[in-house]
Amino acid sequence: VETNEALLLAAARESTERFARGAPLGVFDGVLVAVKDELDVAGYHTGAGTSFIGVGKVQTVDCWSAARLRDAGAVIVGKTNMHEIGVGITGFNLAHGTARNPYNTSHHTGGSSSGSGAAVAAGFAPVALGADGGGSIRIPAAFCGVVGLKSTFGRISGEGAYPLAWTVALDGPLGATVRDVALTYALTAGPNPRDPHTLRQPPVHLYGFDNIDSLSDIRVGVFWPFFEDSQPDIVEHSRRVVRLLESKGATVVNVSVPHLHAMSVAHLVSIVGEMTTSTDRWAAGHQRDYSLESRLALAFGRTLTAVDYVAAQKVRTFAMKACDAIFEQADVFVTPSTSILAPRISGNPEGETNNYRNSEVMRFVFLGNLVGHPAITLPVGYSPDNLPYSIQVAGRHWEEHVVLRVAHAIEAAQAPRLRPEVHYDLLHR
């Protein structure tokens, strides 16, 4: 949605000069990175996917993750599209146009980090930054056939992100491969002295990442009634992944998660209540500038009371204990990423509200936001319509290295990926 050619070329020239001197800054020097419109980048506006937020205000400081990447020599190519104020899961955007899925341009990318998912899948950049409050990194990664990681709450600082949903959302990477995502995570994670949420965390590491020949030390938790609440073809592809993990020596453990519907409602109340509060300053003057979908969501948010919000936090506490029980029995918790594949883009220029479809898309991802544990999604095949299938691997708080190792093992066993319908090979153009 925004580029700055002068800044981009200046960063590229500086990187080229460092390589010419034989003094690159590291593995990210010269690597192209795209950044979601929810995150501040110096020299760019931050619009949160709207036509009015941030107008006339050019940011002078990078968000935490962009700053870490830029310090490592990364070249920021621009700001990517997103579902308006992050309030939906398709990627529909009235202000900037709706991003299209590079694997099938008649279908959505998923949201809300829609442009970041599409940019990586289409080859514009091997890495992009997104933000995830209800699957907003993992859903577009799943629909676009790339990899997306939501780390533990407090692991990656949200400094410089538009504050849409502060107790469930955090910034994170999307990448072409699990290794790309792991390296980006390792660079951007860690304490930020200006962000109290990040100060009490164990050291960041990737121990065991390449130890993927045997997973005999890994217990894989599966809640089968939950796992199988998906399209039959998604269930079959996801079952194949569980069999793969077993073939590598992992032990599959049956687990259960009680009261998932109540947890889903608690997440909905938390995220919509927080989004409505954070955007309240725009309600009077820009109500009609939002899409109808966003207006409806914010109208629902304004019906919520303090009693509703506190009740949701009580359910969150229960959910945390339920997830602790899972990870006493298992090291990772595996589900499909979504229960349906990327939906077809509607012909309605105002978009659409389909809450049943939204619940199908978010079925497996909301729990990580509600309780704050890390989770990754990665591609595991393709439908006859060329739409990616995807699997989700979740883990204990602060154990991103385990989640990444298991994801790496799954990725290494997959057939070569299909080339998207829309793809740009930047290295051979």
Side-chain angles (χ1 to χ4, degrees), residues 223-227 229 255-268 315 318-319 322-323 326 333 335 362-368 370-371 373:
F223 182 25
W224 288 110
F226 187 42
F227 186 102
D229 192 10
V255 299
S256 63
V257 188
H259 305 298
L260 275 164
H261 179 68
M263 295 178 190
S264 175
V265 173
H267 173 263
L268 176 67
V315 175
F318 174 85
C323 287
I326 291 175
F333 180 51
T335 66
M362 295 180 65
R363 180 163 295 150
F364 303 111
V365 294
F366 78 87
L367 195 57
L370 186 65
V371 305
H373 64 231

Side-chain angles (χ1 to χ4, degrees), residues 8-336:
L8 193 162
L9 292 177
R13 281 192 292 268
E14 291 170 3
S15 177
T16 301
E17 291 168 0
R18 288 192 292 270
F19 274 93
R21 297 195 307 268
L25 296 176
V27 296
F28 276 97
D29 205 338
V31 172
L32 303 182
V33 176
V35 180
K36 185 180 183 180
D37 191 31
E38 186 178 332
L39 310 178
D40 290 347
V41 175
Y44 291 82
H45 302 84
T46 299
T50 70
S51 62
F52 54 90
I53 293 176
V55 171
K57 181 181 180 181
V58 177
Q59 299 297 327
T60 58
V61 178
D62 291 330
C63 72
W64 171 263
S65 295
R68 297 293 290 266
L69 285 161
R70 204 195 290 270
D71 288 346
V75 177
I76 295 183
V77 297
K79 301 294 289 291
T80 58
N81 206 354
M82 61 180 285
H83 200 111
E84 189 177 54
I85 62 168
V87 80
I89 49 78
T90 61
F92 173 79
N93 188 287
L94 184 66
H96 304 298
T98 297
R100 292 180 176 269
N101 194 317
Y103 275 96
N104 188 323
T105 57
S106 297
H107 290 252
H108 280 294
T109 57
S112 63
S113 305
S114 53
S116 292
V120 173
F124 292 132
V127 170
L129 295 178
D132 192 316
S136 289
I137 287 172
R138 291 163 291 154
I139 292 167
F143 283 174
C144 292
V146 299
V147 182
L149 174 68
K150 186 207 79 68
S151 59
T152 304
F153 184 82
R155 183 60 112 172
I156 297 176
S157 176
E159 182 183 45
Y162 193 89
L164 289 171
W166 48 89
T167 75
V168 294
L170 71 163
D171 308 346
L174 298 88
T177 68
V178 175
R179 188 178 297 274
D180 292 339
V181 163
L183 291 172
T184 309
Y185 155 75
L187 179 63
T188 56
N192 173 358
R194 297 178 300 276
D195 184 350
H197 291 117
T198 68
L199 297 181
R200 299 181 64 182
Q201 60 172 289
V204 178
H205 65 83
L206 298 175
Y207 296 155
F209 180 77
D210 287 318
N211 182 17
I212 59 175
D213 292 334
S214 172
L215 297 177
S216 59
D217 57 325
I218 297 294
R219 298 168 297 166
V220 178
V222 180
F223 182 25
W224 288 110
F226 187 42
F227 186 102
E228 293 175 343
D229 192 10
S230 304
Q231 289 180 189
D233 53 335
I234 291 177
V235 173
E236 179 48 40
H237 273 77
S238 301
R239 277 186 168 276
R240 180 176 60 79
V241 173
V242 174
R243 293 194 294 268
L244 164 67
L245 294 174
E246 283 187 299
S247 74
K248 287 183 169 289
T251 301
V252 176
V253 179
N254 293 330
V255 299
S256 63
V257 188
H259 305 298
L260 275 164
H261 179 68
M263 295 178 190
S264 175
V265 173
H267 173 263
L268 176 67
V269 170
S270 298
I271 191 169
V272 175
E274 291 172 14
M275 284 182 166
T276 305
T277 301
S278 68
T279 59
D280 186 63
R281 74 185 82 171
W282 309 106
H286 293 280
Q287 182 71 10
R288 293 186 177 276
D289 294 324
Y290 286 118
S291 68
L292 294 177
E293 178 185 17
S294 297
R295 285 188 236 172
L296 182 60
L298 295 174
F300 166 68
R302 284 189 285 274
T303 70
L304 298 173
T305 66
V307 173
D308 296 324
Y309 189 82
V310 171
Q313 308 323 302
K314 291 181 178 179
V315 175
R316 180 185 292 204
T317 301
F318 174 85
M320 289 177 175
K321 293 178 179 178
C323 287
D324 287 346
I326 291 175
F327 293 118
E328 288 175 1
Q329 305 171 66
D331 301 297
V332 293
F333 180 51
V334 173
T335 66

